[in-house]
Amino acid sequence: MSILEIAGLTASYGVSQALFSVDLTVNEGEVVALMGRNGMGKTTTVKAICRMIASAGGLRFAGQDLHRLSSDRAARLGIGLVPEGRRCFRDLSVRENLIVAARPGPWDMGRVAGLFPRLGERRGQNAASLSGGEQQMLAIGRALMTNPRLLILDEATEGLAPIIRQEIWTAIARLKAESGMAILLIDKSLKELSGISDRAVVLQRGTTVWAGPMADLTPDISERLIGV
Amino acid sequence: MIRERYLNLGVLALLLALALLARLADQSFTITVLTKVVILALAAAGLNIALGLGGLVSLGHAVFFGLGGYAMGILAFHAQNFAPLELGPLTIAGSKSMPVIWLTAIAVSALAALVIGLLSLRTSGVYFIMITLAFGQMFYYFSISWAAYGGEDGLSIYIRNGFPGLNMLDPIQFFGICFAVLCLVLLFSDRLARSPFGLALNAARQVPVRVETVGLSPMRLKLLAFVISGAITGLAGALYADLNRFVSPTMFSWQLSGELMVLVILGGVGRLIGPVVGAAIFVALEQLLGGLTAFWQIWLGVILLLIVLFARGGVVGLIAPKGVGHD
């Protein structure tokens, strides 16, 4: 059963159109990779899903038309976002960052600390003083504290050391295996995405040009459409 | 550097000790001056919730201070004249009871803050400042033309209002009740800042868009903070009017809004004891330099300039910087 349904989605930044026709479906418990070269509309699609920019076309989450909802109401409906660039609340401690986002559900502070033990160890530390990797873990933990039905990770491993990237990927794999929540992933690492995603959707110039099971994304297709 | 908690307790203890010493020395005037410090600190503590926690630069907080003052003035005026207040079909008896006046001041100020907040929080930055300033001016000019309650001349109340079991005409007892209210409000502010609401408000001040993505509405958070802030400043206005036994349109003036902001900035924006330290410095300068020159506020300006340039955390930030021994 699909939880997110996007059909013919369009969006613009002022007079500059960024999305022309995005089609994307995410089913319950499924991990979908949203792929494409830089500037093809991946982050804009995420912003449209999270109601951070105006858009038109089909955009439904859990049966509701997202166009009718504000950004905070979309989040309350069950869309958890780990934004590009982390963006933690720098003046707040790790614990406080998590408290701000907390909503009722299976994910609480203890479970987040179980997924990322570093966060448990640094719960009293200011977010601004964390390393980039720890801030990324905090951004994921904060999104999980909202107890989302769909978790969106936008470039969650970008700019991190290989060892930290591996830690993040391991955590995402655990999320897939243990939580059963739907996940929409955006990342540049085809190898990691291939290992974890059930399906892939490829964007070119704001348009969906390929969608299918991850196993069907052959090197030939990925080379042609994504450049890797 | 000292821990902020000790500084907070130390400042409050010093204030109380000075009042008790003044009582022993039979210095009623000093107690009255200290009461003014406490009440202005209370008003600034209200503003500090909006400004320090919510990042709302309101240049219209005198509206709430004035509404609190006029709530006291009008209720007491009708009580001393034995004439009920008639509001269309509603007939309300006047009151000389402080708890009744405080509750009225809080309710009226909170309601005004709700309406002003709903309209002004749709904007931000300089537009927010201008809208709050405009509301302040609206209330100021309305009070000037409100002849029924003294208009430009204001309204005198002959006897201080009463509090059950206490003699409010005794300066130290009135100081005590104001000091207790200030301590309660500071305790409330401290709890509020650490509560999920306070943390979310702090987050909304830092990155509003991110707060939305975790399912919170920055507008609602800021509106609630503005209402709480206005209610506290309104309560301070009622006490200030009681201290002077006089209310006038000056309580609505934009200069007063500016002074409240100066108190918060002097002490330290967002610091719990900042408004108390700011109010103490302000009143001390007024008392010490005011006798020497009519232009004492020039020196206040110099101090404010130095604080803004070299001590962004205010005087409290200088003594107990955040991150160094900060609780």
Side-chain angles (χ1 to χ4, degrees):
Chain A
M1 186 187 160
S2 60
I3 188 164
L4 177 69
E5 296 167 277
I6 299 176
L9 188 73
T10 61
S12 305
Y13 294 102
V15 293
S16 172
Q17 189 164 355
L19 300 184
F20 292 88
S21 180
V22 173
D23 302 307
L24 166 68
T25 303
V26 181
N27 297 316
E28 298 265 14
E30 189 181 38
V31 177
V32 174
L34 182 60
M35 305 168 85
R37 292 188 174 96
N38 282 343
M40 291 299 161
K42 304 185 295 293
T43 296
T44 305
T45 303
V46 168
K47 284 183 177 174
I49 295 169
C50 295
R51 305 295 300 125
M52 292 157 77
I53 58 164
S55 58
L59 181 60
R60 298 183 74 81
F61 179 78
Q64 289 206 40
D65 183 1
L66 283 175
H67 285 125
R68 294 170 179 271
L69 303 179
S70 58
S71 188
D72 57 300
R73 285 185 65 199
R76 285 204 294 278
L77 204 59
I79 300 174
L81 172 66
V82 180
E84 191 178 15
R86 304 181 265 278
R87 313 277 171 88
C88 297
F89 304 125
R90 295 171 62 83
D91 283 359
L92 302 186
S93 69
V94 168
R95 186 179 145 274
E96 290 168 343
N97 262 272
L98 297 177
I99 287 176
V100 165
R103 302 190 70 76
W107 284 96
D108 56 16
M109 205 107 61
R111 198 166 172 197
V112 169
L115 186 67
F116 297 116
R118 286 163 183 254
L119 293 185
E121 291 161 14
R122 288 159 174 69
R123 60 173 53 197
Q125 207 169 312
N126 248 34
S129 68
L130 298 178
S131 68
E134 287 162 351
Q135 286 190 23
Q136 188 61 69
M137 291 171 195
L138 181 56
I140 297 174
R142 189 180 64 191
L144 289 172
M145 287 293 283
T146 66
N147 280 286
R149 296 174 69 185
L150 169 68
L151 180 67
I152 303 174
L153 294 122
D154 190 0
E155 305 280 11
T157 64
E158 190 182 33
L160 299 179
I163 191 165
I164 302 292
R165 289 165 66 97
Q166 195 47 54
E167 220 171 307
I168 302 274
W169 283 116
T170 304
I172 296 170
R174 270 185 67 186
L175 280 178
K176 181 187 180 184
E178 294 171 15
S179 72
M181 84 177 55
I183 299 174
L184 180 63
L185 277 174
I186 297 173
D187 207 276
K188 291 190 175 64
S189 172
L190 182 61
K191 182 185 157 213
E192 304 293 354
L193 286 176
S194 303
I196 206 168
S197 308
D198 300 305
R199 287 192 306 112
V201 172
V202 181
L203 300 185
Q204 262 192 348
R205 298 177 193 277
T207 304
T208 299
V209 291
W210 192 91
M214 200 71 203
D216 292 355
L217 188 72
T218 61
D220 174 48
I221 297 171
S222 65
E223 171 65 32
R224 183 161 49 87
L225 300 178
I226 310 165
V228 286
Chain B
M1 298 297 175
I2 63 171
R3 292 173 72 88
E4 190 171 353
R5 185 180 296 174
Y6 296 134
L7 177 68
N8 297 348
L9 292 173
V11 168
L12 291 175
L14 181 65
L15 209 51
L16 185 61
L18 285 174
L20 292 174
L21 281 174
R23 174 75 178 85
L24 287 174
D26 206 17
Q27 291 283 330
S28 295
F29 176 72
T30 306
I31 298 173
T32 302
V33 169
L34 290 168
T35 308
K36 184 178 177 182
V37 170
V38 167
I39 295 172
L40 287 179
L42 183 65
L47 176 62
N48 204 24
I49 290 175
L51 181 62
L53 268 183
L56 301 169
V57 185
S58 165
L59 208 50
H61 257 54
V63 168
F64 314 122
F65 196 71
L67 282 173
Y70 271 86
M72 173 273 176
I74 291 169
L75 285 175
F77 172 78
H78 284 277
Q80 75 186 9
N81 290 341
F82 303 103
L85 169 62
E86 289 180 7
L87 293 169
L90 270 179
T91 302
I92 302 169
S95 178
K96 297 288 285 178
S97 161
M98 279 192 184
V100 171
I101 287 167
W102 294 353
L103 285 175
T104 308
I106 288 171
V108 169
S109 309
L111 186 65
L114 179 68
V115 174
I116 294 172
L118 274 171
L119 294 168
S120 59
L121 285 167
R122 293 173 190 281
T123 64
S124 60
V126 72
Y127 300 102
F128 177 79
I129 297 172
M130 286 298 112
I131 288 183
T132 51
L133 176 64
F135 273 109
Q137 292 302 90
M138 276 167 56
F139 277 86
Y140 175 72
Y141 286 111
F142 175 76
S143 62
I144 280 183
S145 57
W146 204 7
Y149 297 109
E152 202 168 0
D153 297 332
L155 196 60
S156 291
I157 305 301
Y158 304 122
I159 299 174
R160 184 165 286 159
N161 297 306
F163 191 91
L166 293 173
N167 174 16
M168 288 294 100
L169 289 172
D170 180 1
I172 194 68
Q173 292 194 43
F174 185 60
F175 170 86
I177 204 84
C178 295
F179 185 75
V181 170
L182 174 67
C183 289
L184 284 174
V185 165
L186 290 179
L187 191 66
F188 170 75
S189 298
D190 187 44
R191 292 283 177 272
L192 189 79
R194 292 164 196 259
S195 70
F197 166 75
L199 295 173
L201 184 63
N202 193 338
R205 179 176 53 80
Q206 294 177 48
V207 207
V209 177
R210 292 295 155 238
V211 170
E212 285 183 310
T213 63
V214 297
L216 300 168
S217 161
M219 165 76 182
R220 283 187 198 162
L221 290 168
K222 289 179 179 177
L223 181 61
L224 184 53
F226 197 69
V227 169
I228 294 171
S229 170
I232 293 172
T233 305
L235 173 61
L239 287 169
Y240 194 74
D242 231 333
L243 174 71
N244 297 322
R245 282 175 249 173
F246 177 67
V247 284
S248 76
T250 315
M251 289 184 79
F252 284 117
S253 68
W254 70 268
Q255 289 94 331
L256 200 133
S257 293
E259 278 175 9
L260 292 181
M261 203 170 287
V262 166
L263 303 188
V264 175
I265 294 168
L266 265 181
V269 179
R271 307 304 289 264
L272 186 66
I273 207 70
V276 184
V277 173
I281 293 172
F282 183 86
V283 175
L285 285 174
E286 184 185 47
Q287 294 300 320
L288 296 174
L289 300 177
L292 302 176
T293 167
F295 305 109
W296 67 273
Q297 284 178 328
I298 288 177
W299 297 106
L300 176 70
V302 171
I303 290 173
L304 192 65
L305 201 64
L306 291 173
I307 290 283
V308 170
L309 286 176
F310 302 111
R312 290 284 175 91
V315 173
V316 174
L318 277 177
I319 302 169
K322 272 194 173 175
V324 183
H326 174 59
D327 292 315

